[in-house]
Short mmCIF file of all heavy atoms in Angstrom, two decimals:
data_model
loop_
_atom_site.label_atom_id
_atom_site.label_comp_id
_atom_site.label_asym_id
_atom_site.label_seq_id
_atom_site.Cartn_x
_atom_site.Cartn_y
_atom_site.Cartn_z
N ARG A 196 0.88 -2.33 6.75
CA ARG A 196 0.46 -3.73 6.59
C ARG A 196 -1.07 -3.84 6.67
O ARG A 196 -1.69 -4.58 5.91
CB ARG A 196 1.11 -4.60 7.66
CG ARG A 196 0.83 -6.09 7.47
CD ARG A 196 1.53 -6.96 8.52
NE ARG A 196 2.97 -6.79 8.50
CZ ARG A 196 3.67 -6.12 9.43
NH1 ARG A 196 3.06 -5.57 10.45
NH2 ARG A 196 4.98 -6.02 9.33
N HIS A 197 -1.67 -3.10 7.59
CA HIS A 197 -3.14 -3.12 7.72
C HIS A 197 -3.79 -2.62 6.43
O HIS A 197 -4.74 -3.24 5.92
CB HIS A 197 -3.55 -2.24 8.92
CG HIS A 197 -5.02 -2.17 9.13
ND1 HIS A 197 -5.77 -3.22 9.59
CD2 HIS A 197 -5.89 -1.15 8.92
CE1 HIS A 197 -7.03 -2.86 9.66
NE2 HIS A 197 -7.14 -1.61 9.25
N ARG A 198 -3.30 -1.50 5.89
CA ARG A 198 -3.85 -0.99 4.62
C ARG A 198 -3.67 -2.00 3.51
O ARG A 198 -4.59 -2.23 2.72
CB ARG A 198 -3.16 0.33 4.25
CG ARG A 198 -3.63 1.52 5.02
CD ARG A 198 -3.20 2.85 4.39
NE ARG A 198 -1.87 2.85 3.82
CZ ARG A 198 -0.76 3.15 4.48
NH1 ARG A 198 -0.82 3.47 5.76
NH2 ARG A 198 0.42 3.14 3.87
N HIS A 199 -2.49 -2.61 3.45
CA HIS A 199 -2.21 -3.59 2.41
C HIS A 199 -3.19 -4.76 2.49
O HIS A 199 -3.73 -5.19 1.46
CB HIS A 199 -0.77 -4.11 2.53
CG HIS A 199 -0.41 -5.09 1.47
ND1 HIS A 199 0.31 -4.75 0.36
CD2 HIS A 199 -0.69 -6.41 1.33
CE1 HIS A 199 0.46 -5.80 -0.41
NE2 HIS A 199 -0.13 -6.82 0.15
N ARG A 200 -3.42 -5.26 3.68
CA ARG A 200 -4.32 -6.41 3.84
C ARG A 200 -5.75 -6.07 3.41
O ARG A 200 -6.41 -6.89 2.79
CB ARG A 200 -4.29 -6.91 5.28
CG ARG A 200 -3.02 -7.63 5.62
CD ARG A 200 -3.00 -8.11 7.04
NE ARG A 200 -1.76 -8.82 7.31
CZ ARG A 200 -1.20 -8.91 8.48
NH1 ARG A 200 -1.77 -8.35 9.54
NH2 ARG A 200 -0.07 -9.56 8.64
N ILE A 201 -6.22 -4.88 3.75
CA ILE A 201 -7.57 -4.49 3.36
C ILE A 201 -7.67 -4.36 1.84
O ILE A 201 -8.61 -4.88 1.23
CB ILE A 201 -7.99 -3.17 4.04
CG1 ILE A 201 -8.16 -3.38 5.55
CG2 ILE A 201 -9.30 -2.64 3.43
CD1 ILE A 201 -8.36 -2.10 6.32
N VAL A 202 -6.72 -3.68 1.22
CA VAL A 202 -6.75 -3.50 -0.24
C VAL A 202 -6.66 -4.85 -0.94
O VAL A 202 -7.42 -5.13 -1.88
CB VAL A 202 -5.63 -2.55 -0.72
CG1 VAL A 202 -5.53 -2.53 -2.23
CG2 VAL A 202 -5.86 -1.14 -0.18
N GLU A 203 -5.76 -5.71 -0.47
CA GLU A 203 -5.62 -7.02 -1.11
C GLU A 203 -6.90 -7.85 -0.94
O GLU A 203 -7.36 -8.47 -1.90
CB GLU A 203 -4.42 -7.78 -0.51
CG GLU A 203 -4.12 -9.06 -1.26
CD GLU A 203 -2.81 -9.71 -0.81
OE1 GLU A 203 -1.95 -9.04 -0.20
OE2 GLU A 203 -2.66 -10.92 -1.08
N ALA A 204 -7.50 -7.83 0.24
CA ALA A 204 -8.75 -8.55 0.47
C ALA A 204 -9.86 -8.01 -0.42
O ALA A 204 -10.67 -8.77 -0.96
CB ALA A 204 -9.16 -8.47 1.94
N PHE A 205 -9.90 -6.69 -0.61
CA PHE A 205 -10.91 -6.08 -1.47
C PHE A 205 -10.73 -6.54 -2.92
O PHE A 205 -11.70 -6.94 -3.58
CB PHE A 205 -10.81 -4.55 -1.38
CG PHE A 205 -11.84 -3.82 -2.20
CD1 PHE A 205 -13.15 -3.70 -1.75
CD2 PHE A 205 -11.50 -3.25 -3.41
CE1 PHE A 205 -14.10 -3.03 -2.50
CE2 PHE A 205 -12.45 -2.58 -4.17
CZ PHE A 205 -13.75 -2.46 -3.72
N LEU A 206 -9.50 -6.54 -3.39
CA LEU A 206 -9.23 -6.97 -4.77
C LEU A 206 -9.56 -8.45 -4.95
O LEU A 206 -10.14 -8.84 -5.96
CB LEU A 206 -7.78 -6.69 -5.14
CG LEU A 206 -7.39 -5.20 -5.19
CD1 LEU A 206 -5.89 -5.05 -5.41
CD2 LEU A 206 -8.18 -4.47 -6.25
N LEU A 207 -9.22 -9.26 -3.96
CA LEU A 207 -9.56 -10.69 -4.03
C LEU A 207 -11.07 -10.88 -4.06
O LEU A 207 -11.59 -11.73 -4.79
CB LEU A 207 -8.93 -11.45 -2.85
CG LEU A 207 -7.42 -11.61 -2.91
CD1 LEU A 207 -6.90 -12.12 -1.56
CD2 LEU A 207 -7.02 -12.54 -4.05
#
Side-chain angles (χ1 to χ4, degrees):
R196 186 178 301 106
H197 179 71
R198 283 194 322 271
H199 182 100
R200 287 180 179 152
I201 292 171
V202 171
E203 188 171 340
F205 182 78
L206 295 174
L207 289 169

